[in-house]
Amino acid sequence: MSVLGIDIGGSGIKGNLVDVETGALLAERHRIDTPEPSTPDMVADVVAEMVRHFDASGTVGCTFPAIVRRGVALSAANVDKSWIGTDADALFEERTGLSFHMYNDADAAAVAEMKFGAGNGGSGVVIVITLGTGIGSGMFVDGVLVPNTEFGHLHFEGHAPVERWASAKVRRAEGLSWEEWADRVDRFLIHLDRVLTPDLFIMGGGVSRLWGDWGHFLTTTVETVPAELENEAGIVGAALSASLAEPR
Ligand code: BGC
């Protein structure tokens, strides 16, 4: 079955059709700049354009970089604050006539990684960390997602939240070497291990492709691997989750 997945990010909104049985992308990815201001109404226009571009029908899965419960955004760390309290599923459905399911971006990417990537359906406690502008997280217990964990918002070693100290964006902004930055990530992982005792960490986000530059600096005793799916993980996970969701 083919389902449209849309990844709403701070700088770009990307979409593609996904074969939810195999995780394969079925078309050329389509990207549109995130409008400014990135208010719900302006983003809904782009979402409607994306639906037209792919001539989509049925159910659509969507990601958003914030806490999302039953389609309602409950935070807005790196996006327009007017999102807080917006029922995106209802808004997008009203604009397009299609059935929408929106998820936290890291949760969606983690779902794809568990099913089609490094998670391999893993049992026990698996934590996926996405390193980008912020730090996102997706946690599974025996394959079941615990949504909206938001580990990037922990206060850690005086840094509140930890994502402003250890995200991939911070590495670039502060000009840290791979070793200096990996040390921060490592300390964060060791802290997560102390409180959650995971069986596996999967490290995602764009920097997962550069694992060879920094993975060997990590000292956590928890098995830690790079994500296998690239930038499209969110699109794939959102489409997959939407295909399994109860109709609204
Ligand atoms: C947000 C999370 C999101 C992460 C990655 C954080 O700032 O609070 O919801 O998953 O960034 O985009």
Side-chain angles (χ1 to χ4, degrees), residues 8 63-69 72-80 83-84 102-107 148 150 153:
I8 300 175
T63 78
F64 193 66
I67 300 170
V68 182
R69 192 165 61 198
V72 179
L74 297 180
S75 69
N78 297 310
V79 282
D80 197 274
W83 273 96
I84 297 174
M102 189 168 88
Y103 306 97
N104 169 264
D105 56 355
D107 281 349
N148 294 308
E150 294 284 329
H153 281 259

Side-chain angles (χ1 to χ4, degrees), residues 198-213:
D199 297 284
L200 176 68
F201 284 124
I202 300 174
M203 307 305 289
V207 282
S208 62
R209 283 196 307 275
L210 304 171
W211 181 249
D213 289 326

Side-chain angles (χ1 to χ4, degrees), residues 39-52:
T39 55
D41 255 355
M42 303 270 281
V43 170
D45 287 344
V46 175
V47 164
E49 198 179 326
M50 201 62 87
V51 165
R52 281 194 300 275

Side-chain angles (χ1 to χ4, degrees), residues 4 9 31-32 54 56 58 75 83 102 113 122 126 135 140-142 145 147 152 172 191 198 214 232 234 236:
L4 175 60
R31 183 190 186 281
I32 300 171
F54 287 102
S75 69
W83 273 96
M102 189 168 88
E113 207 53 55
V126 179
I135 294 182
F140 298 81
V141 181
D142 288 335
L145 175 73
R172 289 190 304 274
H191 181 67
W214 61 279
E232 268 65 354
V236 173

Side-chain angles (χ1 to χ4, degrees), residues 105-157:
D105 56 355
D107 281 349
V111 162
E113 207 53 55
M114 284 300 277
K115 173 95 173 165
F116 302 116
N120 207 12
S123 58
V125 176
V126 179
I127 297 178
V128 180
I129 297 289
T130 64
L131 298 155
T133 305
I135 294 182
S137 56
M139 181 167 87
F140 298 81
V141 181
D142 288 335
V144 177
L145 175 73
V146 180
N148 294 308
T149 44
E150 294 284 329
F151 294 143
H153 281 259
L154 286 173
H155 293 198
F156 176 62
E157 292 192 10

